[in-house]
Amino acid sequence: MLRRLTGWTGPMGVRTHLLLLVMALGVPFLVYMAASLVVNLDTERDHARREVRAAALLAAARLDEQLGRLTLLLGTLGQSVGPVVHEPQRVDALLRELPPEVRAQIYNLSVWTAEGRYVASLVPAVGVRMPSVADKPYFQEIVRKGGLVVVSPVASSVSGEPLVGLATPILHGGQLIGVMAIAVRVDQLYRLLGTEDSLPTGALVTVLDADGRVITRSHDAASWVGRRLIDDPAELAKLRQRVAGAAERGDETGTLRLFGYAPMKAVPWTVFVGVPSDDAIAPAMARLQRSLVFGVAMLGVGLLLAVWAAERVARPLRLLSERAVRVGRGEPVDRRPLHGVSEVAFLAATLNQANEALQQRTQALQASRALLRKVTDQVPAQLALLDKDERFLFLNESFRARLDVDPQTLVGRSVAEAYGEEVYAEVRHHFQAAWAGQPTLYQRRLLQGDRERWVEVTLAPCFDPEGPDPRRVVELCAMVIDVTERHLAQERLARSEERLSLALEGSELALFDWDIPAGRFYMSAQGAVHRGGAPCEQVTTSREQLALVHPDDTDRLMGDLLQTLSGKTDTYEIEFRGRRLDGSWVWLRRHGRVFERDANGNAVRLAGIEIDINERKAAEERLRLLAETDPLTGLPNRALFVVRLEQAVQRARQRGRPMAVLFLDIDHFKQVNDTRGHDAGDQLLKTFAQRLVEGVRTSDTVARLGGDEFTVILEDLGRPDDALSVAQSLVEAARQPVMADGLELRFTTSVGVAVWTQGELDGPALLRQADAALYEAKRLGRDRCEVVGLGEPSGADVST
């Protein structure tokens, strides 16, 4: 039959072989496709199971999302309704303010008191038909357990239609004060699934509760809601396990369906998605049938292409055979190339193509040399190639333009011949290194008349990769670049750096430069002087620099530094204490900025200046002491006392330990000034201040408010009575005589004590109480202490 198809009467030729090849490939392919039709049915069925299971998971997730929004709505409204749950009009007004899009998703929203009495509803008729829900199971469950309760479908008391409810407690101050419930129509609940656009035709969606009853259904929901679809205890137990899966079974109408099921997270419901089994695998069957038809069609097309290809191959064979016959006869032969796709036609044209290729390569080589010459002549550098004897093989035109040398006059000449033995002797070691296989770079000075020029020479070795030793250098490539401007710029930079160094030395400023990736920190010579050493440039590490910072300033310095490195601040300014060589501390100020960042924006280099500000800091400390201390006694003044008192009250609140404030003055101090003079009065004040300091702990604060008025802050008392003990000891210490101008002077003191144990009492109030207690001590005869804060004010007369 194949002979009749091809028309070939002799031995089988190319066309016959091609047809047999197509048949040998096509027929097994068709058999394979037919077998795959049967084998893939089970695979497609498994795929359909996964699809319906995924559809069930999607539907459950969407319904969970919608119920979650309704639950969130209940929680939000519960917070708003809670304070006014017993005011029906205000609650009703809040419900009426719900946005239209929210009201469109629900049937009703009702509010009930904690006793189950009706408060308000979007459907007012609910309150008439159902004034109390105290007997409802869902209400009793909320009262008993609290939390969200889901109400299975029930008939509306107003319209009679089936509804699904969500109820949640309304809490205020942790107590149940009411219940809020949302009712959703069953048909609305199905629309919440939002699965119409993701399910195949004929799909049936059903939502069941934990008892196997229908919550909603995609078709004829009204007649199915509340019906029990699962009675088998084993299936109910599996349903209550709340797992996702797929199964194939007949439905209530006898139709065989693939079911996917998935549990919901918000409520104990399960979503079922069922698709008729025939519909589920129908697309796969259609695809396989189309593939089979397509395979048969492709086989037919392959046979036709085989016939056409065989003709394309056979024709040049015939022509080649005819030319062979003519050659054998000695007749002229057509030397035009044979067109076709067969190897025979290619072989016939090989000789002509080889001749043409040789000519093309020759032309390409000439063009390549011309292009190389054109490119190298445009390079702004002198390029040369030298052989093993260091003779010039090639030079570009830059030698003429840059060095005023005709490149053709140097071809064939050695370096020594071209530039002289003296010049060659200076650079011979560079050539020796290049011949040893090491790329070499050097600079040298040239004199052209009265003009000085600097050039940079690069010698690159050229290896022989195809020779017996691939690392043997056979030629040198030389590149000469004019670097006169760069050389002059480097000289100018060096002079500028020298001037900058001299200026920094004269200004007592130190220059620092931090190479961040390398961790190298450069400090000019003045930096060593700041730290008590001799002028000397230093290069240290970042860690060593940080170790020289005072521990109390480390966090602040690192915080400001990170702000600058991250780009949040433009400049880096910090005042800190640095360690001297003798172990003391010196105040320093650094000012700098980031001068370089990498491609990712990370800081690479930070530089700036450092200055010694120790004298300025000492002056500032002296001014601070003048502003915060009493010049006569050296004690804290009123301003500093007020600050420390507030700090002490704050610490007492944090630690929960009692504290006290003592208000003291010297009894009859004015008489001392009037009879003995102000010098004696000043001496008495200083002696009294010294006795107060010696009579309390170092952690306590003694201050002079003015005149003969003094205060004491006692912190961290073991018990409140300790304040009275300290006050009594100060009264006794004051009785000791004082020598003033050679005369013995006796005096006493009165003390008012205010004790803080707990509460909201602040510093000023505590001071006022101590002042009031002092006044009471003076009223009762002086030379004593009075206490408030230990219950009722109580006096302590220590005159005995």
Side-chain angles (χ1 to χ4, degrees), residues 288-321:
L288 293 174
Q289 291 174 358
R290 287 195 298 271
S291 299
L292 185 60
V293 172
F294 178 76
V296 174
M298 288 298 99
L299 179 60
V301 172
L303 292 174
L304 294 177
L305 289 176
V307 174
W308 175 81
E311 181 61 24
R312 292 279 295 175
V313 173
R315 183 173 179 277
L317 284 175
R318 290 194 300 269
L319 293 176
L320 182 60
S321 177

Side-chain angles (χ1 to χ4, degrees), residues 329-537:
R329 294 176 180 174
E331 298 177 356
V333 178
D334 185 3
R335 302 185 61 85
R336 290 178 299 178
L338 295 176
H339 298 286
V341 294
S342 70
E343 290 80 357
V344 177
F346 174 77
L347 291 175
T350 298
L351 184 60
N352 291 337
Q353 292 177 355
N355 184 39
E356 292 177 0
L358 180 60
Q359 295 178 358
Q360 292 174 357
R361 289 177 182 176
T362 302
Q363 295 173 357
L365 179 60
Q366 294 174 350
S368 177
R369 289 178 176 176
L371 179 61
L372 177 62
R373 169 64 68 178
K374 182 178 181 180
V375 171
T376 55
D377 288 346
Q378 300 301 318
V379 175
Q382 294 80 59
L383 299 177
L385 186 66
L386 296 92
D387 62 11
K388 191 64 176 177
D389 297 326
E390 297 182 359
R391 297 183 179 277
F392 290 102
L393 299 176
F394 168 82
L395 300 95
N396 66 348
E397 282 297 316
S398 291
F399 277 88
R400 188 192 309 276
R402 302 284 179 176
L403 302 178
D404 197 20
V405 175
D406 184 359
Q408 297 303 319
T409 61
L410 296 180
V411 175
R413 299 175 63 186
S414 67
V415 176
E417 293 172 350
Y419 294 100
E421 292 292 342
E422 183 177 355
V423 173
Y424 180 72
E426 296 177 359
V427 299
R428 178 184 289 111
H429 62 286
H430 296 300
F431 279 84
Q432 291 174 347
W435 286 116
Q438 300 176 0
T440 306
L441 176 69
Y442 66 91
Q443 292 185 2
R444 62 184 302 268
R445 184 170 65 97
L446 297 179
L447 291 177
Q448 291 182 330
D450 58 350
R451 183 183 178 188
E452 180 183 70
R453 303 185 66 183
W454 284 87
V455 296
E456 183 178 82
V457 181
T458 302
L459 298 176
C462 301
F463 300 98
D464 182 15
E466 298 181 358
D469 183 5
R471 297 190 56 82
R472 186 173 68 92
V473 180
V474 294
E475 295 172 340
L476 290 182
C477 181
M479 181 174 67
V480 183
I481 301 176
D482 190 329
V483 294
T484 303
E485 292 299 326
R486 186 174 71 186
H487 187 80
L488 295 176
Q490 291 175 345
E491 289 184 346
R492 290 193 294 270
L493 178 60
R495 287 195 294 271
S496 298
E497 291 178 348
E498 182 180 3
R499 296 190 192 101
L500 176 60
S501 178
L502 293 174
L504 289 175
E505 291 177 3
S507 65
E508 298 185 353
L509 295 176
L511 176 68
F512 69 88
D513 192 345
W514 182 20
D515 184 345
I516 299 173
R520 291 191 298 270
F521 195 95
Y522 164 81
M523 180 67 73
S524 65
Q526 189 63 26
V529 177
H530 290 167
R531 288 161 177 79
C536 177
E537 293 185 350

Side-chain angles (χ1 to χ4, degrees), residues 509-558:
L509 295 176
L511 176 68
F512 69 88
D513 192 345
W514 182 20
D515 184 345
I516 299 173
R520 291 191 298 270
F521 195 95
Y522 164 81
M523 180 67 73
S524 65
Q526 189 63 26
V529 177
H530 290 167
R531 288 161 177 79
C536 177
E537 293 185 350
Q538 294 180 332
V539 177
T540 60
T541 65
S542 307
R543 188 180 299 275
E544 291 171 342
Q545 278 293 313
L546 188 61
L548 297 176
V549 179
H550 194 284
D552 294 343
D553 299 337
T554 301
D555 292 342
R556 180 167 51 85
L557 182 142
M558 290 302 298

